Amino acid sequence: MLNIAYVGFGKSTNRYHLPYLKLRQDKFHVSRVVTPTLGKRPIEQSELEVTGTVFSTDIDDIIEDETIDLVVVVTPSASHYQVTKQLLLAGKNVMVDKPMAASDIEARDLVNIAYDKKLFLMPFQSRRFDSDFLTVQRVIQNGYLGRLVDLEVHMDHYRPNDGQSNGNEIDGSLFGHGVHLVDQIVSLFGAPNSAAYDIRSTRLLNSPVDDQIEVNLFYSQAFKATIQTTELATIQYPKWQLRGTQGTFIKYEVDEQENDLKTGVMPGDARFGVDTPQNYGHLVYYNQSGDRIDKYIPSIQGDYGRVYDSVYNTLVKGMPKLVSDENMITVMKILSAGLKEKGPHVVKFS
């Protein structure tokens, strides 16, 4: 069993992390939680204290506890780099919420420290276990589409009144939503040759915090992957569109885990994260005989808890990390390049 400590006890910790650990109590025990304000979530705090979790306000309590096997950093994005660096320098294995840093330079610094000290470091890229992404992976692996030509993935909302008049670039859509989508693409195809960026603030003009992004990742002359997010979508756009030389796959609906967690449907419930048949992705392709096949692909069950399974397998069984150091640096390099120049621009990576 691994002893975990959390830095941060807000919404993300209680919604996207702890519910999944309740199904993995044979592998993990939450030993400590450090939070700026004790008793802010009295019910959740007392539930953990009954199991032996110690709450405090000082990160040194975690640093000085030699029984801690892994520290999970779930603090505001702008603090991720400094908190993670402090923990690594103190000799702790760390999983940090996304984005892991504010630039590729900061990310490389963290990776180098972890490498030198032989420590575990990984961002919490939970959306590698989104139902829709897992289904797209299978469609690609099964070769239905032939050679891929275009891939497009969206993360859209309608939040017209949530624009920020000031803040850090790390709080914008590129580093907030884009980090998930870029990681998904990098996990499938690796590092792109170049990227074209259109990063804007649309709800509040001249805001330093972007809220609409389009990033085209070019892998070859024949294949491009596009990620897009907006906060002004009143009509739903497909979450995924894939086109290849033999077929097309389109899926509209997103993974249901987040919606279920928000409404109190928890991991372990029979209904949790289940995609209904009317929301399955639509596949049309031509088989080897030239027949046109038109069908809907049942969605693979998503499970953000599999991130923790992967951490356990790495720390206990010595298996490779879910997110490699190379993937981490590539993702952060792509994100950082989007903000190094104002306005639409193209960056070549190789």
Side-chain angles (χ1 to χ4, degrees), residues 23-317:
L23 301 179
R24 293 164 170 83
Q25 295 183 27
D26 59 326
K27 295 180 179 178
F28 301 98
H29 175 252
V30 181
S31 297
R32 288 187 176 274
V33 174
V34 166
T35 177
T37 307
L38 298 175
K40 190 174 182 179
R41 294 176 177 268
I43 296 176
E44 292 89 345
Q45 181 173 328
S46 61
E47 287 178 351
L48 282 174
E49 287 177 330
V50 168
T51 68
T53 304
V54 177
F55 280 74
S56 69
T57 59
D58 192 345
I59 195 172
D60 285 340
D61 293 333
I62 290 175
I63 290 174
E64 294 169 2
D65 189 339
E66 296 182 357
T67 69
I68 300 297
D69 299 302
L70 175 72
V71 184
V72 183
V73 176
V74 197
T75 58
S77 296
S79 67
H80 286 175
Y81 169 68
Q82 290 296 343
V83 174
T84 301
K85 185 172 183 176
Q86 180 182 6
L87 291 166
L88 290 172
L89 290 173
K92 299 298 183 183
N93 296 312
V94 180
M95 180 162 66
V96 56
D97 213 352
K98 60 80 190 173
M100 65 184 296
S103 69
D104 57 321
I105 295 173
E106 289 184 351
R108 193 178 299 277
D109 184 37
L110 296 179
V111 167
N112 288 339
I113 294 171
Y115 179 83
D116 290 342
K117 289 183 168 290
K118 296 180 172 58
L119 295 169
F120 175 91
L121 169 67
M122 196 180 80
F124 182 66
Q125 291 290 9
S126 57
R127 292 190 180 274
R128 288 201 182 190
F129 297 107
D130 268 345
S131 172
D132 52 88
F133 176 65
L134 293 172
T135 306
V136 164
Q137 272 187 312
R138 177 169 292 179
V139 168
I140 293 173
Q141 291 167 356
N142 285 349
Y144 292 121
L145 306 179
R147 175 173 52 79
L148 280 180
V149 175
D150 284 297
L151 179 152
E152 188 173 333
V153 56
H154 279 243
M155 188 176 284
D156 299 336
H157 308 93
Y158 184 63
R159 299 167 177 168
N161 301 317
D162 293 343
Q164 295 178 249
S165 59
N166 53 60
N168 299 311
E169 289 180 330
I170 196 174
D171 298 316
S173 289
L174 180 62
F175 275 75
H177 299 321
V179 64
H180 286 305
L181 305 183
V182 171
D183 177 72
Q184 289 177 338
I185 300 304
V186 168
S187 73
L188 288 172
F189 308 111
N193 298 322
S194 61
Y197 297 90
D198 178 9
I199 313 297
R200 290 179 280 155
S201 175
T202 56
R203 291 174 295 183
L204 294 176
L205 300 181
N206 301 316
S207 169
V209 182
D210 62 84
D211 60 14
Q212 182 159 316
I213 69 173
E214 178 177 341
V215 182
N216 297 307
L217 301 174
F218 297 93
Y219 283 86
S220 68
Q221 190 176 12
F223 174 60
K224 176 186 71 175
T226 299
I227 70 168
Q228 289 187 291
T229 78
T230 181
E231 301 298 330
L232 294 175
T234 58
I235 298 176
Q236 185 179 16
Y237 197 82
K239 175 68 187 294
W240 293 92
Q241 291 190 79
L242 285 78
R243 290 176 294 278
T245 55
Q246 294 175 202
T248 299
F249 178 75
I250 295 179
K251 189 180 192 312
Y252 275 86
E253 298 298 331
V254 302
D255 179 276
E256 288 295 328
Q257 290 179 84
E258 185 171 5
N259 291 332
D260 285 346
L261 291 167
K262 289 178 179 178
T263 58
V265 181
M266 292 288 108
D269 189 298
R271 302 169 296 159
F272 181 76
V274 174
D275 210 4
T276 56
Q278 62 263 34
N279 292 333
Y280 289 169
H282 187 195
L283 172 66
V284 177
Y285 70 101
Y286 286 84
N287 64 18
Q288 293 180 342
S289 300
D291 302 316
R292 187 177 191 271
I293 310 298
D294 188 329
K295 64 181 181 179
Y296 288 83
I297 302 296
S299 300
I300 298 174
Q301 187 79 23
D303 180 4
Y304 296 158
R306 287 175 60 185
V307 176
Y308 278 93
D309 294 336
S310 77
V311 172
Y312 183 89
N313 288 335
T314 298
L315 292 179
V316 176
K317 302 179 181 179

